[in-house]
Amino acid sequence: MPASTHPANDAWEALLSAHAVLMKRFAAEDIWGDVSMREYDVLYTLSKCAGPVRLSELNRHVLLSQPALSRLVDRLAERGIVERKPDPADGRGVLLSLTATGRALQRQVGREHARDVARAMTAGLTPVELRQLEAICLKLARQPAAAAAANGNDDAASGHDKKDAA
């Protein structure tokens, strides 16, 4: 079979295929309980924040449209998992953070999910390949931020193309 003349597109398709296969595998795991994978993504992202964040900041780190994220956060707040507080720096703004219940839920699901991720990743990759994959992905993740800084574009800085993420 001849070598491809589109290595960048081939690499992108391989990355998307691997992502799809792994996400289906993770979704099939019996660990999610009362939280969906999308809800867990929000819980995980909030758990990594140094403090409460605005919805716009949270939106930079999850693959949901702003309206979908807003509705999801509303549901999590109604369930007592996420807390909404007025932003003292801007009375119109709202800050989001995990409640104690939300933090406990994130840790519980996160432990199981981390084990599943480790099993999936180590099943076909050596430790050296895992480090190479991490380095490549981190390099790609920084690339849109560098381009955005040069162009003054906040959407590109988030690493997400809103058209593709919706």
Side-chain angles (χ1 to χ4, degrees):
M1 189 161 152
S4 173
T5 59
H6 306 287
N9 290 339
D10 294 344
W12 175 246
E13 288 179 22
L15 180 61
L16 287 179
S17 294
H19 180 264
V21 167
L22 290 170
M23 292 305 286
K24 286 178 183 174
R25 176 179 173 166
F26 299 145
E29 294 293 336
D30 189 26
I31 63 167
W32 304 105
D34 294 334
V35 65
S36 71
M37 281 181 63
R38 286 186 185 235
E39 290 170 332
Y40 176 76
D41 185 26
V42 169
L43 300 182
Y44 177 77
T45 302
L46 285 172
S47 78
K48 294 297 183 186
C49 295
V53 296
R54 293 183 75 137
L55 185 68
S56 59
E57 177 63 22
L58 180 60
N59 188 236
R60 289 185 182 133
H61 303 284
V62 296
L63 288 175
L64 289 171
S65 68
Q66 192 278 330
L69 178 59
S70 183
R71 289 188 302 272
L72 189 147
V73 166
D74 287 344
R75 291 191 302 271
L76 292 172
E78 288 170 11
R79 291 167 49 197
I81 297 171
V82 170
E83 182 175 40
R84 296 170 157 273
K85 288 184 180 175
D87 185 344
D90 177 1
R92 300 168 297 164
V94 174
L95 294 175
L96 306 170
S97 60
L98 292 176
T99 64
T101 299
R103 192 164 301 284
L105 179 60
Q106 185 280 318
R107 286 182 181 141
Q108 174 199 352
V109 173
R111 280 190 293 274
E112 292 295 321
H113 183 51
R115 283 193 274 274
D116 290 341
V117 168
R119 276 193 294 269
M121 297 299 288
T122 59
L125 299 175
T126 66
V128 170
E129 290 169 328
L130 289 169
R131 291 289 176 220
Q132 290 171 334
L133 178 60
E134 178 187 18
I136 291 166
C137 290
L138 289 172
K139 186 175 183 179
L140 287 171
R142 285 189 298 267
Q143 185 178 3
N151 296 329
N153 180 343
D154 286 338
D155 285 342
S158 71
H160 301 288
D161 183 338
K162 300 300 179 190
K163 294 177 293 200
D164 293 339

